[in-house]
Amino acid sequence: MSGMRRVPRPPHGPVAIATSPWIVVGAGVVVMVVLLIVALGAYRGRSPAPDGAQPPALPVPSAVVAPSVPTSVPSPAPVLPGISGRASGLPPSGAAGSGSPSADPTVGPIEKPPATRAPSRAAPEQPAMTGRYRVVQSFDGGFIGEVAMVNTSTRSRGWTVRLEFSGGRLVTAWVEGVPQGTVRQFDDGFTYVSGVDVSPGGSVSLRFHMERAPSTPRECTVDGGRCSGL
């Protein structure tokens, strides 16, 4: 027995794997084959959808709201004159030509607008102060004229005389027996504003001296009213 040699045993555990690389390669091949078989089985398990079949509809999230489409609002019908507020719309088409204004029982009676009367023309009011023109004295190169006025109203009032000539020059103007007023000259004429009021029914005379002017004025007014005597 002493002449027999013992055969050494192969190492166990990690040392055996490290010394035998073909074991690692074989294990990897087995794992790959198993994964391939599992993948083929999963692929075959899916049955193709039949022709014409629609895919299942996906659920719409509740937070998604379809946009609202604006609708056209018809414009209100024009209001016809003489129709009450409840009948502001046009009459229905079925009532056209029937002789009645509307078949709607809510429509009130048609009211005619009140007739407007033309304003009556009042008679022209007579001026409160009347005036009469005359030439008091004529001489070479000029004359002295007069406007005699009467207060026909029932209250005391002032007055304004306006005289306009075709050329000439005013020398002076004055009022007989009362305080003097104000003279304002302009081209070919003048105005005289009284300095004191005239009592109801009273009279006053304005006299003036003109040079190189015709004795008949183009215009003579008292408070806007035309003088007589022209």
Side-chain angles (χ1 to χ4, degrees):
M1 298 296 287
S2 60
M4 297 180 63
R5 298 178 61 183
R6 291 183 179 181
V7 179
R9 295 181 179 179
H12 299 280
V15 179
I17 296 174
T19 57
S20 302
W22 62 270
I23 298 176
V24 177
V25 174
V29 172
V30 172
V31 172
M32 291 179 63
V33 171
V34 172
L35 293 176
L36 181 60
I37 293 173
V38 172
L40 290 176
Y43 177 78
R44 291 180 179 181
R46 296 180 181 178
S47 59
D51 296 339
Q54 298 293 334
L58 297 178
V60 180
S62 59
V64 177
V65 180
S68 60
V69 180
T71 58
S72 60
V73 180
S75 58
V79 179
L80 299 179
I83 299 181
S84 62
R86 295 182 300 174
S88 58
L90 294 176
S93 58
S98 60
S100 60
S102 175
D104 191 351
T106 62
V107 176
I110 298 178
E111 300 176 359
K112 295 183 179 180
T116 57
R117 296 182 180 179
S120 59
R121 295 184 179 180
E125 183 179 357
Q126 295 296 329
M129 294 291 295
T130 61
R132 181 177 180 83
Y133 177 84
R134 73 185 183 100
V135 176
V136 177
Q137 182 180 359
S138 297
F139 47 84
D140 188 16
F143 69 95
I144 295 176
E146 179 189 71
V147 178
M149 293 164 282
V150 178
N151 183 6
T152 60
S153 67
T154 57
R155 63 181 182 86
S156 299
R157 58 185 307 119
W159 46 269
T160 299
V161 172
R162 177 184 174 89
L163 286 161
E164 182 178 349
F165 296 87
S166 299
R169 182 181 70 90
L170 174 67
V171 178
T172 185
W174 69 96
V175 180
E176 298 286 346
V178 296
Q180 302 303 303
T182 304
V183 179
R184 295 186 178 90
Q185 297 190 50
F186 57 91
D187 294 341
D188 301 334
F190 68 94
T191 60
Y192 190 101
V193 181
S194 63
V196 63
D197 292 347
V198 181
S199 59
S203 61
V204 66
S205 295
L206 170 68
R207 291 191 175 184
F208 55 91
H209 178 194
M210 293 291 297
E211 287 184 347
R212 298 185 299 275
S215 59
T216 302
R218 291 189 306 182
E219 180 182 3
C220 176
T221 60
V222 177
D223 291 344
R226 183 175 174 81
C227 300
S228 60
L230 297 177

